[in-house]
Amino acid sequence: MATGNNTKRYETPNHPYQGERIAQEGDMLGRYGLKNKEELWRAQSELRNYRREARRLIGEAQGDLEVAEAAGEEFLARLRRYGILSEGNDISRVLGLDVTDILERRLQTVVYRTGLASTPEQARQFVVHGHVTVDGARVTRPSKMVEVAEADAIEFDGTSPLSDDLHPERAEGQE
């Protein structure tokens, strides 16, 4: 499916006014410092697509997980590269993934988890304002999915005032 500039990359909930779901979404927005529900819905749609692909592969292999894994080798390699699946997990694990597995791999969340920022909101601000680099390249998109290999290469830009250890906005206790 080709996605042009005018194509929505997420699905909205079928029932817009469900109190319990709205409360859960609000909790997720706060926990991950998301700007709006669209970002959450994009992650949910991405997860839905992963599950759909896993079901398709398992269905084509008529339930044989080894055949399904061989057919979906690139798909599983991508999920492992991004840290969504662990090395030992098989394709059936994709069906048990949660939206938090996707949200944990966003640059904004990784910056917060590594201690470069004291809150998810501050992590988002640091990324958007161009203070964060990944492998030496400045990234200003908080939704960027971070590969496992890139996670250790996230740091403050050398030209950023935040690269100074004594900067007042630096997270407490950071080297």
Side-chain angles (χ1 to χ4, degrees):
M1 173 173 110
T3 55
N5 289 340
N6 296 332
T7 304
K8 234 173 24 171
R9 291 183 174 85
Y10 62 94
E11 295 174 33
T12 57
N14 292 334
H15 302 284
Y17 303 108
Q18 292 174 317
E20 187 177 323
R21 180 190 48 76
I22 290 171
Q24 287 174 340
E25 288 176 347
D27 177 52
M28 295 291 257
L29 262 61
R31 192 165 2 140
Y32 288 98
L34 303 176
K35 184 176 76 172
N36 53 37
K37 290 186 181 177
E38 178 183 321
E39 291 190 326
L40 177 62
W41 294 338
R42 281 183 189 213
Q44 289 170 337
S45 292
E46 192 174 335
L47 175 63
R48 201 172 298 117
N49 290 337
Y50 291 159
R51 286 182 177 160
R52 190 175 293 134
E53 178 66 8
R55 280 194 308 270
R56 185 188 68 76
L57 290 166
I58 292 171
E60 285 178 0
Q62 298 177 348
D64 188 343
L65 294 182
E66 290 176 13
V67 173
E69 283 187 35
E73 201 170 323
E74 290 177 22
F75 168 66
L76 293 172
R78 186 174 79 233
L79 293 181
R80 289 185 178 115
R81 191 172 68 240
Y82 284 113
I84 296 170
L85 275 186
S86 303
E87 284 303 319
N89 293 348
D90 64 356
I91 195 166
S92 63
R93 174 72 176 95
V94 176
L95 301 177
L97 289 175
D98 189 41
V99 70
T100 57
D101 296 319
I102 308 286
L103 293 173
E104 286 291 334
R105 298 312 306 165
R106 287 169 48 101
L107 177 60
Q108 174 181 354
T109 307
V110 175
V111 166
Y112 170 63
R113 297 276 189 246
T114 56
L116 293 177
S118 50
T119 65
E121 291 81 8
Q122 187 183 47
R124 179 183 195 88
Q125 185 179 30
F126 288 170
V127 172
V128 169
H129 289 199
H131 295 295
V132 176
T133 62
V134 178
D135 266 342
R138 181 177 292 163
V139 180
T140 58
R141 207 174 39 122
S143 64
K144 176 190 181 343
M145 294 295 283
V146 177
E147 296 182 11
V148 175
E150 296 173 331
D152 295 334
I154 295 175
E155 57 192 11
F156 287 120
D157 187 7
T159 62
S160 166
L162 290 166
S163 62
D164 178 11
D165 290 341
L166 300 176
H167 193 282
E169 287 301 316
R170 290 285 293 257
E172 294 295 321
Q174 198 202 335
E175 297 109 47

PDB file of all heavy atoms in Angstrom, residues 154-168:
ATOM      1  N   ILE A 154      23.349   7.693  21.674  1.00  0.00           N
ATOM      2  CA  ILE A 154      22.494   8.874  21.852  1.00  0.00           C
ATOM      3  C   ILE A 154      23.141   9.771  22.896  1.00  0.00           C
ATOM      4  O   ILE A 154      23.446   9.326  24.004  1.00  0.00           O
ATOM      5  CB  ILE A 154      21.076   8.464  22.296  1.00  0.00           C
ATOM      6  CG1 ILE A 154      20.404   7.672  21.184  1.00  0.00           C
ATOM      7  CG2 ILE A 154      20.253   9.687  22.654  1.00  0.00           C
ATOM      8  CD1 ILE A 154      19.053   7.118  21.550  1.00  0.00           C
ATOM      9  N   GLU A 155      23.369  11.025  22.506  1.00  0.00           N
ATOM     10  CA  GLU A 155      24.010  11.969  23.427  1.00  0.00           C
ATOM     11  C   GLU A 155      23.617  13.388  23.048  1.00  0.00           C
ATOM     12  O   GLU A 155      22.963  13.611  22.034  1.00  0.00           O
ATOM     13  CB  GLU A 155      25.531  11.801  23.383  1.00  0.00           C
ATOM     14  CG  GLU A 155      26.114  11.987  21.989  1.00  0.00           C
ATOM     15  CD  GLU A 155      27.552  11.538  21.878  1.00  0.00           C
ATOM     16  OE1 GLU A 155      28.051  10.890  22.808  1.00  0.00           O
ATOM     17  OE2 GLU A 155      28.173  11.846  20.860  1.00  0.00           O
ATOM     18  N   PHE A 156      24.047  14.338  23.872  1.00  0.00           N
ATOM     19  CA  PHE A 156      23.795  15.732  23.545  1.00  0.00           C
ATOM     20  C   PHE A 156      24.738  16.171  22.435  1.00  0.00           C
ATOM     21  O   PHE A 156      25.886  15.741  22.382  1.00  0.00           O
ATOM     22  CB  PHE A 156      24.005  16.633  24.775  1.00  0.00           C
ATOM     23  CG  PHE A 156      22.908  16.512  25.797  1.00  0.00           C
ATOM     24  CD1 PHE A 156      23.175  16.091  27.074  1.00  0.00           C
ATOM     25  CD2 PHE A 156      21.602  16.836  25.467  1.00  0.00           C
ATOM     26  CE1 PHE A 156      22.163  15.985  28.011  1.00  0.00           C
ATOM     27  CE2 PHE A 156      20.584  16.736  26.394  1.00  0.00           C
ATOM     28  CZ  PHE A 156      20.868  16.308  27.673  1.00  0.00           C
ATOM     29  N   ASP A 157      24.250  17.034  21.559  1.00  0.00           N
ATOM     30  CA  ASP A 157      25.055  17.602  20.484  1.00  0.00           C
ATOM     31  C   ASP A 157      26.203  18.397  21.113  1.00  0.00           C
ATOM     32  O   ASP A 157      26.014  19.101  22.100  1.00  0.00           O
ATOM     33  CB  ASP A 157      24.167  18.507  19.627  1.00  0.00           C
ATOM     34  CG  ASP A 157      24.882  19.011  18.385  1.00  0.00           C
ATOM     35  OD1 ASP A 157      26.007  18.550  18.123  1.00  0.00           O
ATOM     36  OD2 ASP A 157      24.306  19.859  17.680  1.00  0.00           O
ATOM     37  N   GLY A 158      27.394  18.296  20.538  1.00  0.00           N
ATOM     38  CA  GLY A 158      28.557  18.993  21.071  1.00  0.00           C
ATOM     39  C   GLY A 158      28.401  20.503  21.083  1.00  0.00           C
ATOM     40  O   GLY A 158      28.964  21.191  21.942  1.00  0.00           O
ATOM     41  N   THR A 159      27.620  21.051  20.151  1.00  0.00           N
ATOM     42  CA  THR A 159      27.426  22.506  20.088  1.00  0.00           C
ATOM     43  C   THR A 159      26.286  22.964  20.993  1.00  0.00           C
ATOM     44  O   THR A 159      26.068  24.158  21.141  1.00  0.00           O
ATOM     45  CB  THR A 159      27.125  22.952  18.644  1.00  0.00           C
ATOM     46  OG1 THR A 159      25.900  22.335  18.224  1.00  0.00           O
ATOM     47  CG2 THR A 159      28.256  22.568  17.709  1.00  0.00           C
ATOM     48  N   SER A 160      25.564  22.030  21.586  1.00  0.00           N
ATOM     49  CA  SER A 160      24.429  22.379  22.432  1.00  0.00           C
ATOM     50  C   SER A 160      24.911  22.846  23.801  1.00  0.00           C
ATOM     51  O   SER A 160      25.852  22.283  24.358  1.00  0.00           O
ATOM     52  CB  SER A 160      23.532  21.152  22.612  1.00  0.00           C
ATOM     53  OG  SER A 160      22.617  21.354  23.654  1.00  0.00           O
ATOM     54  N   PRO A 161      24.259  23.854  24.367  1.00  0.00           N
ATOM     55  CA  PRO A 161      24.614  24.262  25.723  1.00  0.00           C
ATOM     56  C   PRO A 161      24.393  23.131  26.738  1.00  0.00           C
ATOM     57  O   PRO A 161      25.020  23.108  27.785  1.00  0.00           O
ATOM     58  CB  PRO A 161      23.678  25.438  26.031  1.00  0.00           C
ATOM     59  CG  PRO A 161      22.877  25.692  24.821  1.00  0.00           C
ATOM     60  CD  PRO A 161      23.224  24.689  23.783  1.00  0.00           C
ATOM     61  N   LEU A 162      23.522  22.175  26.404  1.00  0.00           N
ATOM     62  CA  LEU A 162      23.241  21.063  27.313  1.00  0.00           C
ATOM     63  C   LEU A 162      24.396  20.063  27.400  1.00  0.00           C
ATOM     64  O   LEU A 162      24.405  19.208  28.275  1.00  0.00           O
ATOM     65  CB  LEU A 162      21.971  20.332  26.872  1.00  0.00           C
ATOM     66  CG  LEU A 162      20.685  21.128  27.076  1.00  0.00           C
ATOM     67  CD1 LEU A 162      19.550  20.494  26.311  1.00  0.00           C
ATOM     68  CD2 LEU A 162      20.353  21.222  28.545  1.00  0.00           C
ATOM     69  N   SER A 163      25.376  20.170  26.497  1.00  0.00           N
ATOM     70  CA  SER A 163      26.516  19.249  26.570  1.00  0.00           C
ATOM     71  C   SER A 163      27.411  19.588  27.756  1.00  0.00           C
ATOM     72  O   SER A 163      28.238  18.783  28.156  1.00  0.00           O
ATOM     73  CB  SER A 163      27.309  19.266  25.261  1.00  0.00           C
ATOM     74  OG  SER A 163      27.838  20.557  25.031  1.00  0.00           O
ATOM     75  N   ASP A 164      27.231  20.769  28.344  1.00  0.00           N
ATOM     76  CA  ASP A 164      27.965  21.165  29.539  1.00  0.00           C
ATOM     77  C   ASP A 164      27.347  20.460  30.753  1.00  0.00           C
ATOM     78  O   ASP A 164      26.146  20.591  31.008  1.00  0.00           O
ATOM     79  CB  ASP A 164      27.889  22.690  29.714  1.00  0.00           C
ATOM     80  CG  ASP A 164      28.600  23.171  30.971  1.00  0.00           C
ATOM     81  OD1 ASP A 164      29.313  22.357  31.586  1.00  0.00           O
ATOM     82  OD2 ASP A 164      28.435  24.357  31.316  1.00  0.00           O
ATOM     83  N   ASP A 165      28.168  19.717  31.508  1.00  0.00           N
ATOM     84  CA  ASP A 165      27.668  18.960  32.660  1.00  0.00           C
ATOM     85  C   ASP A 165      27.015  19.843  33.715  1.00  0.00           C
ATOM     86  O   ASP A 165      26.192  19.382  34.497  1.00  0.00           O
ATOM     87  CB  ASP A 165      28.809  18.177  33.326  1.00  0.00           C
ATOM     88  CG  ASP A 165      29.285  17.022  32.462  1.00  0.00           C
ATOM     89  OD1 ASP A 165      28.529  16.614  31.566  1.00  0.00           O
ATOM     90  OD2 ASP A 165      30.403  16.535  32.688  1.00  0.00           O
ATOM     91  N   LEU A 166      27.382  21.111  33.765  1.00  0.00           N
ATOM     92  CA  LEU A 166      26.869  22.000  34.809  1.00  0.00           C
ATOM     93  C   LEU A 166      25.608  22.757  34.391  1.00  0.00           C
ATOM     94  O   LEU A 166      25.110  23.586  35.147  1.00  0.00           O
ATOM     95  CB  LEU A 166      27.958  23.004  35.209  1.00  0.00           C
ATOM     96  CG  LEU A 166      29.235  22.367  35.752  1.00  0.00           C
ATOM     97  CD1 LEU A 166      30.287  23.423  36.019  1.00  0.00           C
ATOM     98  CD2 LEU A 166      28.945  21.568  37.003  1.00  0.00           C
ATOM     99  N   HIS A 167      25.098  22.457  33.193  1.00  0.00           N
ATOM    100  CA  HIS A 167      23.894  23.141  32.727  1.00  0.00           C
ATOM    101  C   HIS A 167      22.730  22.831  33.689  1.00  0.00           C
ATOM    102  O   HIS A 167      22.539  21.690  34.081  1.00  0.00           O
ATOM    103  CB  HIS A 167      23.541  22.679  31.298  1.00  0.00           C
ATOM    104  CG  HIS A 167      22.522  23.552  30.638  1.00  0.00           C
ATOM    105  ND1 HIS A 167      21.178  23.461  30.925  1.00  0.00           N
ATOM    106  CD2 HIS A 167      22.646  24.537  29.723  1.00  0.00           C
ATOM    107  CE1 HIS A 167      20.519  24.345  30.213  1.00  0.00           C
ATOM    108  NE2 HIS A 167      21.381  25.005  29.459  1.00  0.00           N
ATOM    109  N   PRO A 168      21.954  23.850  34.077  1.00  0.00           N
ATOM    110  CA  PRO A 168      20.898  23.638  35.074  1.00  0.00           C
ATOM    111  C   PRO A 168      19.777  22.687  34.635  1.00  0.00           C
ATOM    112  O   PRO A 168      19.126  22.101  35.484  1.00  0.00           O
ATOM    113  CB  PRO A 168      20.330  25.050  35.331  1.00  0.00           C
ATOM    114  CG  PRO A 168      20.846  25.901  34.233  1.00  0.00           C
ATOM    115  CD  PRO A 168      22.077  25.266  33.685  1.00  0.00           C
TER     116      PRO A 168
END
